[in-house]
Amino acid sequence: MTLSARRTIRNFAVTFAILYAGCFALLWALQDRFIYPGVYESVPNWVGMASPVSVRRVTVPVDKQTDLAVLYRRPDPGQPTIIVFHGNAGYPEDYGFLYKAWAASGYGIVAPVYRGYPRSAGVVSADAILRDALAVYDWSARRHPSSPILVFGQSLGTAPAVHVAADRTVSGTILVSPFKSMLSIVEDRMPYFPVELGLRSPLRSDLDMPKVKSPVLIFHGDRDDVVPLNSGKELAALAPNPPRFVVVKDAGHIDGLFGGVMVVAINRFIAQNSAPNVLN
């Protein structure tokens, strides 16, 4: 090989290494904008004007410095409480259609806004979201010790929902468009980068799911192009007790979900799994 050829190869390798490192650094710096887009967006006008039936806005302290904005309804005597964890670009108000039926049944509702998102204090991070989810559970359990608690999560919200179900006593777990882990999703999309070294929000639901003892109900669209259907199935396979896994035909990550049959199934699951809490 000539000296000129060696120089050309060396220059190409150096250029490639610089570009590769630059792309990885850019992805590292911007990852939170992809994982938590709601932090960087203004709250739509409709959210401020929305007043879901029988739900009021309160703040819940999750640590000495941080309060979360929460939609809250006190449970009627003997009725369960559902803790709701929204998607990464969503809001607790997105589920007003569910709250209406739940309030009519006397159910309690606790739907927090993640820290760092508009209306809640603090700085967003995966660890903080999971810690806050436990703190919200503890707040609800202290206020209503006789009310069974179920958790509901959609997309990003499935991670805190599974985490609570793994670490606390819940009567049921409802997951919509769940992922095995954020780490696995990003690795599949970026196979040529050392994702495990740079991802700040791995959200390892795959490590929590084996510890979930409650009944689990899962919905996943067969045309989900954000979280592949197989990712949801892989998570479900880790549960100690096989979940009921419902594939929603012709539904994407959001579009096509929450049709009448799905809403009825959710409400039936809650009614069937609302017995008083029994300690693990």
Side-chain angles (χ1 to χ4, degrees):
M1 183 180 295
T2 67
L3 179 61
S4 176
R6 287 199 297 269
R7 285 175 177 172
T8 299
I9 293 172
R10 182 190 63 190
N11 291 340
F12 175 81
V14 170
T15 301
F16 176 82
I18 291 172
L19 290 174
Y20 181 89
C23 289
F24 183 72
L26 184 64
L27 291 170
W28 185 89
L30 297 179
Q31 61 182 278
D32 285 353
R33 289 186 174 271
F34 295 103
I35 298 174
Y36 310 112
V39 171
Y40 305 94
E41 299 172 356
S42 298
V43 178
N45 290 333
W46 74 265
V47 172
M49 295 184 293
S51 297
V53 62
S54 300
V55 178
R56 61 190 178 95
R57 291 182 170 89
V58 301
T59 58
V60 172
V62 290
D63 59 38
K64 293 181 179 180
Q65 292 81 33
T66 310
D67 291 346
L68 302 187
V70 173
L71 293 184
Y72 168 71
R73 182 189 188 277
R74 181 184 184 88
D76 290 355
Q79 296 300 328
T81 295
I82 300 95
I83 302 179
V84 177
F85 298 104
H86 61 82
N88 69 344
Y91 308 91
E93 288 83 359
D94 289 340
Y95 308 101
F97 63 97
L98 292 176
Y99 303 156
K100 183 176 181 179
W102 295 350
S105 297
Y107 300 164
I109 298 165
V110 178
V113 178
Y114 303 130
R115 72 162 60 208
Y117 277 62
R119 298 180 289 169
S120 285
V123 178
V124 72
S125 73
D127 289 343
I129 285 178
L130 300 182
R131 286 197 310 269
D132 292 348
L134 297 177
V136 168
Y137 174 100
D138 293 342
W139 177 87
S140 180
R142 286 194 303 269
R143 289 177 69 91
H144 311 295
S146 63
S147 177
I149 294 177
L150 296 89
V151 290
F152 171 102
Q154 181 175 10
S155 189
L156 174 68
T158 62
V162 172
H163 189 65
V164 170
D167 205 70
R168 297 290 190 270
T169 299
V170 303
S171 295
T173 303
I174 304 167
L175 307 175
V176 180
S177 307
F179 47 84
K180 179 182 177 183
S181 69
M182 185 64 70
L183 176 64
S184 65
I185 294 295
V186 180
E187 283 181 332
D188 286 346
R189 291 180 178 241
M190 300 179 178
Y192 302 111
F193 288 98
V195 172
E196 189 170 5
L197 297 178
L199 186 65
R200 293 190 295 272
S201 298
L203 293 170
R204 298 294 304 271
S205 294
D206 56 326
L207 301 182
D208 280 331
M209 183 61 96
K211 296 180 282 187
V212 174
K213 298 179 181 179
S214 74
V216 179
L217 174 62
I218 298 176
F219 298 93
H220 210 123
D222 63 353
R223 296 187 178 182
D224 191 332
D225 59 359
V226 177
V227 176
L229 177 60
N230 281 342
S231 185
K233 289 183 175 181
E234 289 172 359
L235 178 68
L238 298 172
N241 302 306
R244 181 187 174 197
F245 196 105
V246 179
V247 177
V248 184
K249 188 177 180 181
D250 297 327
H253 190 62
I254 297 175
D255 296 341
L257 297 173
F258 297 107
V261 173
M262 179 173 169
V263 171
V264 168
I266 290 171
N267 293 336
R268 182 180 297 121
F269 179 84
I270 294 171
Q272 292 173 343
N273 294 282
S274 297
N277 284 333
V278 177
L279 293 178
N280 286 334

